[in-house]
Amino acid sequence: MDNSNHTHKINKILVANRGEIALRVMRSAREMGIKTVAIFSEADRNALHVKYADEAVCVGPPPSSESYLQMDKIIQVCHDLKVDAIHPGYGFLSENAVFAKKVTDAGIIFIGPSPEAIEVMGSKLAAKDAVSKYDIPMVPGTPKAITDVGAAKQRAEEIGYPILIKASAGGGGKGMRIVENAAEFEEQMNRAVSEAVSAFGDGAVFIEKYITSPKHIEIQVLGDTHGNIVHLFERECSIQRRHQKVIEEAPSAVVTPEIRRAMGEAAVNVARACNYYGAGTVEFIADENLNFYFLEMNTRLQVEHPVTEQITGVDLVKEQIKIAQGEVLSIKQDDLQIQGHSLEVRVYAEDPKNNFLPDIGKLTTYQRPQGAGVRVDDGFEQGMDVPIYYDPMIAKLVTFGKDRTQAIERMLRAIEEYQIVGIETTLGFCSYVLQHESFVSGKFDTNFVNKYFKPEVLDAHDLNEEAQQDEEKVAAALVNFLLEHKKDNNKPAQQATTTKSNWRKNRV
Ligand code: MV4
């Protein structure tokens, strides 16, 4: 292990991203006394990340391919403004090994892992191969790309149906095919291959036993450039819809200290297998008996990183920056402790009553919730337009409590306080999930939304709220009546009205 501590102080960071994550990164940079540079597209001229940054440069028209994905333009901005490091956020160029290499070759620090680590983990088969010398639990399957259909069918027979065909270059469920029996194997495989070729330009596919009701549990890791790696426990991300996460939490309601230790150790070994440095996430699926299997590693800061920050007290962006400066990790595994429970709901500009159709428009009312244990990471303000060009996630609502019950109570309260008018959002949908018996008990898996959600459940929800409002009106009228008829009180009767506004009717 290299114990030298040659650091190179970063003075100015360009954030190659937009929205809430650009702001999130700049806040930590500012606390560290580091100057910030925003880039923006023509659609984001008035965005908060542009206002917040010390300097800002327009890099092109609204489509991300013409702005936020323009590698050479972004690197040129760094030279022009004497930027010494780039933080890529998530999405966009964050897991692009070519970009990480270009940045490094231009003499700029890439705040993230090495291009080699990004590349290895970008291929599921290369990742499986890299971790094979460690004792990492993996789903039974084929360790290499299928070249011979007959041999693959044989292997499927050994594993037992149903099996899953996956694209090596895949992500977000693309190129995945469930095969129920031998008869449909070849057809499904051909479909998976052609989907993989058109989506990723790489037709390599492999098979795995299909875990029908998995929990998605991931482990946050941090590694420095001196070979030190720690894990910061798990996040439970099973509440998702079409591979888009909806609610995340840390820690998981069902993971035991023993399983946590085993998963943490496996995650550290996965990171070690690719000489990982920076912040990363090792993804596992767990079956109903909590047998867990390594799926893949995400080589970026993730959307849901705040729940880990809440339960550990670690600022992950600051750690990323310190690691990029060449510092030795100051955190030791034994210093880390779970200090409470945290939940995150993703607020999407989508209409849950209309098949989650993305909604755009002006935020005519936008009031964030406040109070104990509430954190909002967003990039919008009242009066701003939600543009069509980018991800429909407008905010992340995060709560922290001494335990899971308190974190849920605070989330329900915060969702009630949140006032968004002008666009449809997923807040009401999240409120439904958080109150569902299956969520409360912790007995849920990745099928939760398919199993329990129909648009009608939100109508029932709304009716409850309206009924509640009616009850409050009756109570208010009664108070008025009593005050007005209180003979021994000479003061005029107080106006007792319900303090609840009508905003709820404008959202789901
Ligand atoms: C699986 C699986 C069941 N069995 N692999 C989906 C995206 C990719 N990250 C891996 N995924 C899955 N892999 C085996 N062998 C089920 C899924 C899966 C899933 C995983 C995590 C979170 C949500 C999911 C939703 C559907 C399917």
Side-chain angles (χ1 to χ4, degrees):
M1 192 177 290
D2 172 13
N3 284 313
S4 64
N5 195 5
H6 299 296
T7 58
H8 21 262
K9 177 82 183 75
I10 293 171
N11 294 305
K12 200 191 268 193
I13 292 174
L14 178 146
V15 181
N17 215 297
R18 63 182 299 282
E20 66 88 16
I21 195 61
L23 269 170
R24 158 76 194 88
V25 170
M26 287 178 198
R27 287 195 162 110
S28 287
R30 184 156 294 169
E31 286 179 18
M32 294 171 84
I34 299 170
K35 294 280 176 219
T36 57
V37 176
I39 57 166
F40 61 98
S41 75
E42 286 161 15
D44 279 338
R45 276 190 191 286
N46 302 316
L48 289 189
H49 79 279
V50 177
K51 294 194 181 118
Y52 192 92
D54 295 303
E55 295 169 276
V57 179
C58 183
V59 289
S64 29
S65 59
E66 296 173 47
S67 49
Y68 296 106
L69 294 173
Q70 288 281 325
M71 306 191 212
D72 295 330
K73 231 184 241 178
I74 293 166
I75 290 168
Q76 189 55 49
V77 172
C78 291
H79 291 318
D80 295 346
L81 299 183
K82 305 212 168 356
V83 165
D84 42 28
I86 292 180
H87 194 299
Y90 54 71
F92 295 129
L93 297 167
S94 60
E95 292 179 282
N96 187 317
V98 171
F99 181 62
K101 178 84 166 43
K102 271 181 185 257
V103 170
T104 311
D105 288 349
I108 302 159
I109 295 170
F110 180 77
I111 303 174
S114 68
E116 294 77 19
I118 298 175
E119 175 136 28
V120 168
M121 291 302 166
S123 155
K124 291 189 180 47
L125 284 171
K128 278 181 195 272
D129 188 56
V131 306
S132 64
K133 36 185 188 301
Y134 293 84
D135 195 18
I136 313 285
M138 283 198 272
V139 191
T142 49
K144 291 206 166 18
I146 298 171
T147 48
D148 176 344
V149 183
K153 271 174 100 162
Q154 177 106 41
R155 181 72 186 117
E157 218 58 63
E158 288 166 23
I159 296 165
Y161 287 93
I163 61 123
L164 196 56
I165 303 180
K166 290 186 178 182
S168 180
K174 266 198 211 120
M176 253 175 38
R177 290 270 158 187
I178 300 165
V179 189
E180 300 287 353
N181 52 57
E184 42 179 68
F185 187 94
E186 197 155 349
E187 187 191 333
Q188 292 291 50
M189 195 189 99
N190 293 338
R191 283 194 188 158
V193 171
S194 70
E195 214 171 294
V197 169
S198 61
F200 316 111
D202 173 5
V205 300
F206 59 96
I207 65 176
E208 275 181 1
K209 176 161 189 61
Y210 181 48
I211 313 288
T212 52
S213 301
K215 270 177 141 348
H216 173 152
I217 298 174
E218 56 187 33
I219 303 272
Q220 176 71 54
V221 298
L222 279 175
D224 65 18
T225 52
H226 310 275
N228 305 296
I229 305 170
V230 297
H231 74 84
L232 292 90
F233 316 111
E234 79 278 8
R235 292 186 289 258
E236 150 78 66
C237 309
S238 301
I239 307 290
Q240 54 84 44
R241 190 188 155 269
R242 300 200 182 164
H243 304 289
Q244 187 173 262
K245 291 168 189 164
V246 178
I247 299 179
E248 301 103 336
E249 65 179 312
S252 159
V254 296
V255 167
T256 63
E258 291 70 38
I259 296 170
R260 179 169 298 123
R261 205 171 305 118
M263 286 183 101
E265 197 178 308
V268 167
N269 281 330
V270 168
R272 208 174 292 294
C274 61
N275 300 311
Y276 200 84
Y277 55 79
T281 296
V282 182
E283 235 183 83
F284 297 93
I285 48 174
D287 66 20
E288 53 277 1
N289 301 316
L290 294 184
N291 297 309
F292 63 88
Y293 308 97
F294 166 63
L295 277 192
E296 53 198 87
M297 183 171 188
N298 300 317
T299 58
R300 60 171 190 275
L301 182 72
Q302 297 212 179
V303 174
E304 60 271 25
H305 77 275
V307 295
T308 300
E309 297 189 322
Q310 298 298 308
I311 66 155
T312 59
V314 173
D315 181 323
L316 289 168
V317 173
K318 279 189 187 164
E319 294 305 318
Q320 286 186 295
I321 294 170
K322 290 195 279 181
I323 292 161
Q325 289 185 145
E327 293 180 34
V328 171
L329 261 186
S330 60
I331 305 166
K332 303 266 178 296
Q333 190 66 59
D334 290 342
D335 299 339
L336 287 164
Q337 271 187 324
I338 298 177
Q339 297 165 357
H341 202 98
S342 182
L343 293 174
E344 170 177 287
V345 310
R346 297 191 186 188
V347 186
Y348 290 104
E350 292 175 346
D351 184 0
K353 285 184 184 166
N354 194 4
N355 202 26
F356 293 83
L357 202 74
D359 198 16
I360 52 160
K362 193 184 280 296
L363 292 164
T364 53
T365 301
Y366 185 74
Q367 301 278 322
R368 297 173 188 91
Q370 294 181 324
V374 176
R375 165 176 171 181
V376 182
D377 281 22
D378 64 11
F380 287 99
E381 268 182 340
Q382 188 161 300
M384 285 173 64
D385 284 301
V386 178
I388 49 168
Y389 300 98
Y390 314 106
D391 190 274
M393 192 185 78
I394 59 165
K396 304 187 305 204
L397 175 54
V398 180
T399 60
F400 178 71
K402 65 180 190 310
D403 54 26
R404 191 166 187 262
T405 302
Q406 192 179 46
I408 294 174
E409 285 166 358
R410 283 185 164 156
M411 186 60 83
L412 289 168
R413 185 265 294 171
I415 290 174
E416 277 209 26
E417 276 181 37
Y418 218 144
Q419 300 190 31
I420 304 178
V421 180
I423 53 159
E424 297 297 333
T425 77
T426 49
L427 275 175
F429 165 70
C430 289
S431 171
Y432 165 77
V433 175
L434 292 163
Q435 293 173 77
H436 196 281
E437 178 276 325
S438 164
F439 181 82
V440 173
S441 68
K443 292 190 191 102
F444 57 89
D445 56 52
T446 55
N447 299 314
F448 180 95
V449 178
N450 281 340
K451 207 157 139 191
Y452 298 119
F453 180 74
K454 285 173 205 64
E456 297 83 77
V457 303
L458 294 179
D459 294 333
H461 223 53
D462 283 357
L463 286 176
N464 284 341
E465 281 190 343
E466 270 165 32
Q468 199 182 323
Q469 286 181 348
D470 287 346
E471 272 170 39
E472 281 167 21
K473 273 184 210 149
V474 171
L478 185 60
V479 169
N480 259 341
F481 176 85
L482 292 171
L483 284 171
E484 276 168 22
H485 291 82
K486 219 173 168 191
K487 298 285 188 242
D488 57 348
N489 189 343
N490 293 323
K491 287 181 208 141
Q494 274 170 263
Q495 191 67 31
T497 52
T498 170
T499 53
K500 275 203 172 174
S501 62
N502 271 339
W503 61 270
R504 253 167 273 261
K505 289 192 177 144
N506 295 315
R507 42 141 236 186
V508 285

